[in-house]
Amino acid sequence: MTNHSETTGPSENDGIGRRDVTGAGTMHDNQVTLRTPAELADALPYLLGYRAEDSIVLVALHDRGGRGRFGGRARLGIPTSRDDWEPAARQLAQGLVAGSERRGARPEQMVAYVCQEPGKGESGRDVMRRLQPLAQLLRTECGRLDVPVIEALCISAGRFWSYCCPSEGCCPDDGSPMGLPGTSVLAAAATYAGIQVRGTLRELRARLLPWETAAALEQEIALDTVGMNLVPRILDEANRAQVAQETLDLAELVLVRFTAATPVPGTLPSDLRDDELLTHEEAAALILGLQDRTTRDRAAAWMEGDEAGPALRLWRALARRCVGPYGEHAAAPLTLAGWVAWSSGDDLEAREALAMALGADPDYLFARLLHQACNEGLDPEAIRRCLRAGGTGRKASCADEKNATEQQDGPHQKYAPDRKDGAGSPDGSSETGPRRRRRLRSGDGGRSRSARTESRRSRPDVSRTSTSPEGRTHPRVSRPGATRTNGAGKGAMARDTASSGGGRSESNGTEGDV
């Protein structure tokens, strides 16, 4: 496929796997042919839309007239434990092949990348050698699926190495330098096509992570104070509709404020400006109010046109305010941020925000379904139609409130676990109240999931409180069926399937087949 003995031009080397790769489809109508490992290494940011770090990446190739054409791409964070490398490689290979098959085009070959910056006392060559077993596992797992890896590259410290050199001395021990950003033929074609390369996923994620500044304590106190009054009203059926309207009215007020603000260049200055436009008390009221599923569905209708930009900024700002013990509450604003980003055509931020929502609450059904749909390349228009049908002016929700109420026996049963029949709501549930939050207890270890669910149904639905180390009490809007697990490792990684979209984004986030 690639020519290891030269940097440009046609190959005179008939080595194993020699093949040109054409970037058709990624550059719209502009076709770019890549022939060397250097060109493939330079292409990675343009294939992903960002600069990979601590990443395993597989890129599918499809045959077209004897040339490889780029297909789906999948990314997984490099697991810290070597014991997790094999299942990670298997997961990535199987997910990308399965996702490609669902689109009707099984890949014929793969290009593999492992990307990681050197640790303390390491060199790029040390990283290359350390990750060589991981690259070999990728080749093995793809081979099991009869999709051979025809090039495997390590990128580290501004240099790259090929693991597919046909002979000793083919590539320098110290690697080959990466080209200057923006100087390759592919970079020029991407610029012409309007394709932008962002920074890193870490930088994108930082816009959505909760504060760790001194202001975080003030925000936590505001959440405690506002919650003492607001949570009982949300749980009271007679007051819930009024709280929902108050939440949406406040959100609209803040959106007007965001829209009128003078634009500032740069993501960090922009986020800091938005943080200044939102008070602690406003943020607390919005975060807690959005825990109600009906309110969240109605807020999701700010998804297009002039409303989308300010709405996305607001959801990001609220996610940053879910500090301390309120981390689980971030599932709602993160899901809304992911939805608006996807609706606006930004699949990268959408996948990351939705994966972070699942990290905050693995059972958040709306995030799970959106993440899967985004990863599978579905059209968000169907969800837009559902939200538009909910009524303009935020007068109604996509949830079928009447149907949900008729199926429940009393006020406390209104918070039944999520239904799977897809009635009414974008997330497939017909629940209209806030979902209960609950952590696993050690005593539940020997009980089945269904038994625990029945036990939860039999208990009255009340808000929980928790006490911080400082002695403050934290009100919670409880939600059914949201069993929260904090473990990472193999169990969490198994949900990070690139094609299924059921993943979390912590140390091992995944990007879907695109």
Side-chain angles (χ1 to χ4, degrees), residues 19 33 75 214 239 253 330 335 365 402 416 423 428 462 472 497 511:
R19 189 179 184 190
T33 300
R75 177 234 170 231
N239 291 317
L253 179 66
T335 301
L365 189 56
K402 182 176 184 294
V462 296
R472 296 194 305 277
T497 306
E511 303 311 314

Side-chain angles (χ1 to χ4, degrees), residues 319 391 457:
R457 287 175 176 168

